[in-house]
Amino acid sequence: MSAITLVLLAFTSVSSGLLLDGIPSQEELHSDATLQLLLSEVTRLSNELKEAQGKINTLDNQVDKLTNKDRDIAFFAYLGPDMVNPSSGTTIVFNEPMTNSGNDYDPQHGVFTASVNGTYNFHLVAASPENSDPSHQFHLYITKNKPGSYVSYGWLDRTTDHWVQTSASAVLHLLQGDRVWVEVGLVLGSHTLAGHNDNRAHTYWSGFLIHAD
């Protein structure tokens, strides 16, 4: 065999080896295909999990709404002793609750705090006895969240020889955590807010949930 023939055979052998090294084996091809299938399955399961979680969240919200619609929230409370000359900005604490379903009303501080989103009704009745100061003025505000930001009010003004009574109401949409109370507004002269005496409740405050969102 000539030297040229030997060189050609060697070149052919090396070239064939190089070409074969560049082609993936059957095992490698099978491994890549399996990996792609696994990745595809993981993606599919992940999407299904996200969809299921979304449905669970929707159901949770629906359950919360149904639960809130059945909530019993209502209060009715008297003012205890008379309040003599309370200053402007004072919160009226109706510290004798007769009803407090849901415990959203705080009889220690006089503040109602909504536990659920919804529409609520509030009603105030206030009374004052005879007053020797003919120029006195005394206003009471139904206030929401911020002192001085009243939504309704009543007044007990310029009465001298007889008792006087006033009332105020409000229907409010509240979010969970919103607060409502009665505070003293405009004040001029001397005045007395009549409390619970002689077995009679002269000043009282009530509220209830009309319907939850």
Side-chain angles (χ1 to χ4, degrees):
M1 181 178 295
S2 67
I4 294 175
T5 302
L6 289 172
V7 170
L8 289 173
L9 288 172
F11 177 80
T12 301
S13 176
V14 172
S15 298
S16 298
L18 290 173
L19 289 172
L20 288 173
D21 287 343
I23 300 175
S25 66
Q26 290 296 320
E27 291 79 6
E28 291 173 330
L29 287 173
H30 180 72
S31 177
D32 288 343
T34 301
L35 180 60
Q36 290 300 321
L37 286 173
L38 289 174
L39 289 174
S40 177
E41 184 68 10
V42 168
T43 300
R44 183 183 67 81
L45 292 174
S46 177
N47 291 335
E48 289 183 357
L49 180 61
K50 290 178 181 178
E51 183 179 355
Q53 187 62 55
K55 291 180 179 179
I56 290 172
N57 291 338
T58 299
L59 289 173
D60 284 344
N61 291 334
Q62 292 175 348
V63 169
D64 288 342
K65 288 182 179 180
L66 290 173
T67 301
N68 289 338
K69 287 184 182 299
D70 292 334
R71 289 288 297 276
D72 181 15
I73 299 174
F75 75 93
F76 181 87
Y78 300 133
L79 175 67
D82 291 350
M83 293 185 70
V84 179
N85 294 326
S87 59
S88 180
T90 299
T91 297
I92 305 300
V93 179
F94 298 84
N95 56 352
E96 296 185 6
M98 296 296 292
T99 301
N100 196 10
S101 300
N103 293 314
D104 283 6
Y105 176 68
D106 178 2
Q108 300 299 317
H109 301 93
V111 177
F112 175 88
T113 304
S115 59
V116 299
N117 299 349
T119 302
Y120 294 78
N121 179 84
F122 297 94
H123 187 66
L124 165 71
V125 173
S128 179
E130 301 90 343
N131 195 316
S132 60
D133 181 356
S135 64
H136 81 100
Q137 296 184 55
F138 183 50
H139 294 186
L140 294 170
Y141 296 164
I142 296 178
T143 306
K144 176 185 174 184
N145 285 338
K146 182 180 179 181
S149 59
Y150 66 92
V151 295
S152 180
Y153 80 104
W155 63 92
L156 301 164
D157 294 352
R158 299 185 177 91
T159 57
T160 57
D161 58 355
H162 60 276
W163 279 68
V164 65
Q165 189 178 66
T166 189
S167 64
S169 298
V171 176
L172 303 173
H173 182 268
L174 302 180
L175 300 178
Q176 185 179 25
D178 280 347
R179 302 163 71 242
V180 181
W181 66 93
V182 177
E183 71 178 38
V184 179
L186 174 67
V187 174
L188 293 175
S190 62
H191 44 271
T192 297
L193 185 62
H196 191 184
N197 48 60
D198 298 327
N199 294 320
R200 297 176 182 176
H202 298 289
T203 300
Y204 40 92
W205 166 235
S206 63
F208 60 89
L209 173 67
I210 299 174
H211 62 79
D213 289 350

